[in-house]
Amino acid sequence: MAWDALLTHLLISLVLCLLHVGRVSPHGTQVERATAPGDFIIGGIFPLHEDVDKENMSFEPHLQPCTRFEERRLVKILGMINAIETVNKSPLLTDVNITLGYEILDSCSDVGMALRATADFMQSEQPVVAVIGASHSETSIAMARQLTLKMIPQISYSSTAVILSDKTRFPAFMRTIPNDKHQTAAMASLLSSYGWNWVGIVTTDGNYGQSALEHFVSQASLKGICVAFKSILPQSVTSQDVPSAIRHTAETILKNPKVQVIVSFAKSSHMTALFEELHAQMIAAGQSAESMTRVWVASDSWSLSGALTADLTLEDIGHVVGFTFKGGDLSSFSAYLNHLEEAGQELARNNSFIEEFYMRLNSSKESEESELVSRAVSRLKEYSHSDTVFSVEMAVSAIAQAVASICANRDCKTAGAVQPWEVLKALWMEEFKLRGKSYKFDSKGDINLGYDVVMWQSDGGNVAVHNVVAEYHPHNNSFTHTNSSTMQHLHYLENIISKCSNSCIPGEFKKTAEGQHTCCYECINCTENYFSNSTDMDQCLSCDVDTEWSPQGSSSCKPKVLLFFSWQDGFAIVLLTFSVLGIILTLLVSSLFLHQRDTPVVRAAGGPLSQVILFSLVISYISAMLFVGRPNRIQCKSRQVLFGISFTLCVSCILVKTLQILLAFQFNPELQHVLRRLYQPYVVVSICVALQVATCICWLVLKSPFNTTIRLPDTLLEDCNEGSYLAFGVMLGYIALLAFVCFVCAFKGRKLPQHYNEAKFITFSMLLYLISWMLFVPVYVTTTGVYLPAVEMVVILISNYGILSCHFFPKCYVILFKKEQNTKTAFRKNLYEFSTRSKDSVSVSGSVVSEKPSSGFHTVSSVSTLSSPTADPLKPAMVMDCRETGCPGFHRGSVTRRSVLRRSTSI
């Protein structure tokens, strides 16, 4: 009988337990739940199990048993219960004399189960005024469509799909976290800050995974980040396709060794299986442990899981950097867990989730009640994270504030006094407070507080410890370190390279082949006059070619060096030395000639005319010096004109001397008589110079020379532009014409007396001038550069020294070292010897050639006039008429009357 009584008591207890903690479906399947009474019921949907058993396929609608209990997810349920119990004791609700109750169901990570739970909320005797949940975005999307039918507010604590921010489709949905658009932007910023532009993505095929993938790819492309591969895993962790998908993902990762960073939006169970598969494939392939280590960027879906398998440690998988929602103070929740431990299993009587947790902990049934509860609470504290509990607490506080604001002006004790849509309206309008801080949903129904960046650290075993190393601020897309000590955790990441191609250094640019990722490229050197000043530039920048240049492969532009024929140039110094020396020699010769102006040699050299030639040479030497130095406007206009006029004056004087030779020796008496009347030396010189002056004036007026800057590839050349090269050519051609006339005339008198014959020297100097300038013209036309002015300067110096050496140095030699030849006697003797050597010459020294008046012959006297230089050296010898009288003083001798040789000699 005792056993019967005991059995009866147990059955009654079981029935009571079922009435309190669960309801039986029509098909006998128990629905786990946690409940508490109140004036207003808040529904809660949490994925305590990871999936449902789908092996029992049936066409008849039925509840499928939940599988894969997740202990850590119980924390959120307890967080909601603690938040409701706490707010019920607060003045916010006590002042309006209302309480909140709850009904919490398990979605088992299945949309169908969540929809059944939602329908249960809406059809119960006391309908809910708001629902907190769900966790996964695909579940929340399905629930939101159903709850929107009656505008029942829904507040999620972890659904982050961007689509849920669309209030046209989901007007009753709200959440206490930011959407994935902000998380993916934070991830892209993190990758960009470390220079990781070649990454892989692992995600799931649900709404959350697809939304996160889409927005991450969009955000990453804006940062220049390329996705090497995308591995999409089945949403259901119990799907038969999961093993093959995990295996394929592991193969893809190992085949892409350059991808050292992988972004994952998968579930924690997916990641655990992936780590195991990577380790297995690594061992099978005989690869080193480093081949599977990566930087894993974790989304909020698994960043706080931290659970590794017994065979793996954190060192095996690499580094994990995760993003979590902003957290709050856990003191209230910790106190609740302590109270749970003190109360034992009494608090589990209306919470089937805790009962299942205790049952799983005590599967061996060896633990006592106190020990079991203590173990359970200890385990729950390990799973407690501020972000998960805080998000749920914010949802409860928001609903409490909305209900309190409504009930402040009405009696809410009556059933149906407050409609869910009124609560929804209050949620949009009212701010709510939690631990002294105010919060409010934005226009999209979200509360965006940013993210914490956590980095996993090993505890020495297979459990990871999470350290918050930075905070992400979405309003300015920036990171701040929590403190200086956490920065050392991020230093490990700086040496990790995840790029398809090595960075292009400054001086190079990226060249992407058609059809390839933009992150896979060649590094090509920048061409001349282009540069790149940072790494991985898409194109080179152009230098300012007017003032800058750069060689191939440059990282910066160099200023162009300004070049001109400088005074400090060695070649310029040599030429200037010759110019100064020429001026000195010319002045010395001028002084010597001035001092010896009455001697036969000086008078034979032209007398005053020689001083004009020497003066023109001085000016020509000065003009040569104007070709040195930085060109300016006055210098460019004067140097060519000064040379042209001065050298024209010089050549004109030489031309006069040449014509004097021809008039004295080369023409017959009749022609000589006519030319002598027309021959005016100063007039000839003036006319020749005047023509050149007219040419130069026209040149300066119409198109004068100017200084210009020639932009060469790597230098700036300052030079004089001659303005009109036609005028420049006319000027030089005119001088060349005069020189050529001198050359021709002088060539005919090359056999005159040696000591006083200038024809040979004129011939040589003019020939030297013509040859040097003939060489100058093609060089000047075909050559550019800093030494082009030096070419013309050399030619000018050659011309000047040619005239100085040929015309004056021989006479200086006679004056200084052959003084015996610088006498009238020596002059007559030399002339006499020249006359007697002539083939048809007639001895005329001291003789008179006469003829009868009737014959009409003339007697020409050239001896008396050539015996010494005339007073005016510019005038040729005079022709004397001896028909009527004799010519006294001539050498006596017989001369035939048949013919007389008329001959002219040059002085």
Side-chain angles (χ1 to χ4, degrees), residues 31-34 42-48 73 76-77 80 102-121 128 130-136 139-140 143-144 146-147 154-159 353 392:
V31 178
E32 292 187 350
R33 66 184 64 225
I42 301 176
I45 299 291
F46 294 88
L48 188 59
R73 298 182 180 180
K76 294 182 180 180
I77 296 176
M80 177 177 172
Y102 57 82
E103 185 172 3
I104 302 173
L105 299 177
D106 182 10
S107 67
C108 302
S109 303
D110 181 71
V111 175
M113 290 290 290
L115 290 176
R116 287 187 175 92
T118 303
D120 195 6
F121 290 150
V128 297
V131 175
I132 296 178
S135 178
H136 302 130
T139 304
S140 291
M143 290 175 55
Q146 191 171 2
L147 293 172
Q154 175 189 0
I155 303 178
S156 175
Y157 46 83
S158 64
S159 295
F353 306 124
V392 174

Side-chain angles (χ1 to χ4, degrees), residues 37-55:
D39 295 321
F40 297 96
I41 301 300
I42 301 176
I45 299 291
F46 294 88
L48 188 59
H49 293 78
E50 281 195 296
D51 210 341
V52 295
D53 185 4
K54 299 177 181 178
E55 294 183 358

